[in-house]
Amino acid sequence: MSRQDNAAGSVKARADLALNDEFLRKAVRFTTERLRRGKKEAAEEQGSWEEWRERGRQIRLHTIAHLDYYLNLFADNARANGVHVHFAETSAEAVKISLEIAQQKAAKTVLKSKSMVTEELHINDALQAIGVEAIESDLGEYIIQLAGESPSHIIIPAIHRNRFQIAELLSEDAGMPLPPDTSILAGYVRKKLREHFLEADIGMTGCNFAIAETGSMVLFENEGNARMVTTLPKTQITLMGMERIIPSWADLEVMATLLPRSATGQKLTVYMSGITGPRRSEDADGPDEMHIIIVDNGRSNQLGDPELQELLSCIRCGACLNACPVYRHIGGHAYGGPYSGPIGAVLKPALQKNVAEWDDIANASSLCGACYEACPVKIPLHDMLVYLRRRKVDAGFGDKAEAAGMKGFAAAMGSAKRMKLAVKAGRLAQKLVARDGGIRIRLGPLKGWNTYRVAPILAKRSFREQWRELEHELQAELKEQKPDVQARMERAIREREAGKGGIGHD
Ligand code: SF4
């Protein structure tokens, strides 16, 4: 499909839709503000946040640098614990393995806990296509499943919906009106899911961290649903990105300090489950059979890439989304994939080899660096965004008008004389279009900007002109004051010699 054909699905078109949706913008702004404030307070309260951040970064960098070793160690230990470990190179392979397990078990229902990797693989659609019902058990995921949407935030999937819209959806599901009261709505979903927990044939989860030294997987959650999903159904499937590994339980302490604080401002997540294999004879509960599918799906593209390898350090906390001024205006769906915000703008192109189609979302950033400041493992997302923009241009998919504009800009900025001339010409030209202190026309390159704000005009005097004038004024002032300054200096020296004081005393 050419870029032209894909225009309706472009980032710009999706961002326009979001910008014109007042409900969405208000809901996203409200929750991201709350999460940002919570994270800031939790980091301050923690006390030595920067040191923990650096420690987290070092753990992730070390693991990714030795990923093959830790993956093998994890797989060997998990197998020794009785887990069936599968490696899937592509999305199609991961889906195929999941479906084969579902068919072997003659499963009718698969109960899921929140998992971004299953969103990436579109596993629900694939299960449905073979007649297996996939049921989301996380409240946010349950809501967006009812709405037929994808998550618009890594941590809060239904962030774009307010309680009135959610009440409408759940009322339809319940077949009776439900009030827009969050505890009543949550109570309704809890009751409804309870039946599914007891009946589901397979439990399906993602994985926050996989511990190489014991072959265990760890899940962080707040609702308790993941614990039910991993204990009640007889078969469990865990899908995990191949980068989820950390070497040891000691490293989990660092991650458990960073992840909940960065994600929701909590000191600790409400439930943290460590699972090491299927149920043993002495265990009261747990699955009889457990499968872990380790998914590559483009992640190994980043290994060895000096610009993008660090991306594999991501712990999917969502803090960069809450900090991003672009995400806070347009929400997650504008990014066109399960991962949104700054991490989505880098991850999606990095996972895909199709430069033309996906590198466009790297433009959905102001490059302010707030994502880097927020990231608990210090991933330089802003540098990666610049790299992806360059990669797209180098591959010949740059915008021709933009390239010509940049060439003109570089030529003008290349010499002081040309810059002065260009500024003068700009001041003359803007007289034709400036109104009330701004440029408001919605044509050509100004269309996108001026649809939502007003382009500023060139100042009457440039910084250099103002600086020159200031310099002249200062010189004149100094000339006038010089005799006085000289006299003060001489007096101070005389006083110091006489033991009365020194330079600086007046
Ligand atoms: S890039 Fe950093 S801030 Fe963003 S989701 Fe990943 S770990 Fe969190």
Side-chain angles (χ1 to χ4, degrees):
M1 187 182 280
S2 75
R3 292 186 51 168
Q4 202 75 19
D5 297 334
N6 201 28
S10 71
V11 185
K12 267 189 184 162
R14 291 190 297 264
D16 267 340
L17 272 181
L19 284 167
N20 287 308
D21 185 337
E22 262 311 307
F23 273 117
L24 176 146
R25 293 182 67 186
K26 213 169 153 192
V28 172
R29 203 163 47 232
F30 175 78
T31 308
T32 50
E33 269 311 311
R34 191 167 53 79
L35 293 172
R36 232 154 47 109
R37 210 171 33 247
K39 187 221 159 197
K40 188 170 169 279
E41 286 166 8
E44 280 168 7
E45 186 269 345
Q46 200 274 338
S48 45
W49 184 247
E50 285 308 312
E51 280 114 80
W52 282 83
R53 231 181 135 211
E54 183 54 31
R55 182 82 194 106
R57 175 172 180 262
Q58 292 303 333
I59 292 170
R60 295 301 290 144
L61 288 181
H62 167 84
T63 313
I64 301 306
H66 302 93
L67 194 56
D68 53 345
Y69 169 76
Y70 285 117
L71 266 175
N72 283 326
L73 182 64
F74 171 78
D76 289 347
N77 285 330
R79 283 187 184 119
N81 298 333
V83 177
H84 301 271
V85 180
H86 314 258
F87 283 89
E89 202 181 322
T90 61
S91 152
E93 263 180 54
V95 170
K96 186 168 169 269
I97 297 166
S98 308
L99 298 189
E100 278 170 4
I101 300 167
Q103 278 166 334
Q104 275 165 21
K105 298 289 157 197
K108 289 194 177 55
T109 53
V110 169
L111 192 66
K112 291 179 67 207
S113 71
K114 186 179 162 305
S115 151
M116 289 308 292
V117 77
T118 62
E119 295 287 348
E120 179 188 324
L121 304 173
H122 303 290
I123 206 102
N124 291 11
D125 295 341
L127 285 167
Q128 203 176 327
I130 61 161
V132 180
E133 191 187 5
I135 303 157
E136 297 288 351
S137 65
D138 171 88
L139 179 58
E141 288 282 348
Y142 186 84
I143 291 164
I144 59 167
Q145 190 180 27
L146 279 183
E149 293 174 336
S150 58
S152 64
H153 190 284
I154 293 178
I155 300 292
I156 320 276
I159 195 171
H160 57 291
R161 291 188 165 261
N162 61 25
R163 66 195 161 97
F164 297 97
Q165 294 168 322
I166 292 169
E168 242 174 69
L169 263 176
L170 294 180
S171 299
E172 228 172 89
D173 188 47
M176 61 177 186
L178 293 171
D181 177 312
T182 45
S183 52
I184 294 177
L185 297 174
Y188 161 73
V189 176
R190 190 177 300 125
K191 195 160 166 248
K192 178 117 195 241
L193 283 174
R194 197 134 289 175
E195 298 149 24
H196 294 306
F197 283 127
L198 295 171
E199 285 165 7
D201 303 301
I202 293 177
M204 183 176 276
T205 72
C207 166
N208 289 104
F209 297 104
I211 315 283
E213 69 176 353
T214 55
S216 314
M217 52 158 287
V218 179
L219 292 171
F220 286 54
E221 48 138 357
N222 281 324
E223 296 173 18
N225 60 309
R227 193 163 282 184
M228 307 271 257
V229 168
T230 52
T231 46
L232 292 174
K234 294 226 172 316
T235 305
Q236 188 196 328
I237 303 176
T238 292
L239 287 132
M240 60 172 259
M242 63 189 255
E243 79 289 7
R244 296 290 96 210
I245 300 274
I246 51 173
S248 66
W249 286 95
D251 297 317
L252 185 71
E253 185 197 345
V254 180
M255 297 304 149
T257 300
L258 295 173
L259 179 56
R261 282 179 169 85
S262 301
T264 50
Q266 290 167 284
K267 283 187 207 168
L268 202 58
T269 191
V270 178
Y271 298 90
M272 191 171 83
S273 308
I275 300 159
T276 308
R279 184 161 72 99
R280 294 162 301 182
S281 52
E282 65 270 31
D283 291 336
D285 51 31
D288 295 333
E289 193 173 312
M290 188 172 162
H291 296 259
I292 294 183
I293 306 172
I294 300 173
V295 182
D296 178 337
N297 196 29
R299 285 163 176 79
S300 51
N301 297 343
Q302 295 148 52
L303 278 176
D305 183 331
E307 307 283 352
L308 295 177
Q309 175 159 313
E310 208 171 330
L311 198 53
L312 294 165
S313 296
C314 176
I315 57 171
R316 306 282 192 269
C317 70
C320 55
L321 281 67
N322 307 329
C324 177
V326 176
Y327 177 87
R328 294 209 311 270
H329 278 288
I330 61 176
H333 290 153
Y335 291 81
Y339 303 105
S340 54
I343 180 64
V346 180
L347 190 58
K348 189 73 196 180
L351 289 174
Q352 307 284 325
K353 286 203 167 139
N354 189 345
V355 174
E357 191 173 347
W358 284 108
D359 280 16
D360 232 15
I361 60 171
N363 290 329
S365 166
S366 66
L367 300 180
C368 65
C371 45
Y372 169 73
E373 294 296 327
C375 179
V377 287
K378 298 167 99 169
I379 300 175
L381 291 166
H382 54 309
D383 289 342
M384 293 174 177
L385 288 163
V386 173
Y387 162 71
L388 288 168
R389 291 180 188 189
R390 193 170 63 235
R391 183 174 88 164
K392 187 178 155 203
V393 172
D394 289 349
F397 293 105
D399 186 296
K400 287 201 171 58
E402 190 187 349
M406 285 297 171
K407 259 191 189 156
F409 184 73
M413 293 293 134
S415 99
K417 216 171 169 185
R418 283 200 295 269
M419 189 179 97
K420 239 157 92 183
L421 277 173
V423 170
K424 269 190 184 157
R427 280 200 200 117
L428 280 176
Q430 75 182 10
K431 281 189 180 159
L432 302 171
V433 286
R435 252 189 314 117
D436 305 326
I439 298 171
R440 291 154 206 277
I441 51 164
R442 294 181 185 176
L443 287 174
L446 284 175
K447 187 168 177 253
W449 182 272
N450 281 352
T451 302
Y452 301 101
R453 44 184 104 66
V454 177
I457 53 170
L458 287 168
K460 281 193 184 123
R461 287 179 308 144
S462 70
F463 174 76
R464 292 167 78 95
E465 286 161 352
Q466 290 185 49
W467 183 254
R468 226 180 351 262
E469 281 167 28
L470 194 68
E471 226 175 13
H472 287 150
E473 275 173 31
L474 281 172
Q475 273 169 1
E477 218 174 285
L478 206 63
K479 240 184 203 166
E480 273 175 28
Q481 284 177 358
K482 217 171 182 180
D484 179 44
V485 172
Q486 189 71 25
R488 277 168 55 198
M489 293 272 286
E490 282 168 6
R491 195 172 73 232
I493 290 167
R494 274 200 308 279
E495 282 176 359
R496 194 176 57 172
E497 281 169 355
K500 282 189 190 169
I503 295 173
H505 294 259
D506 199 44

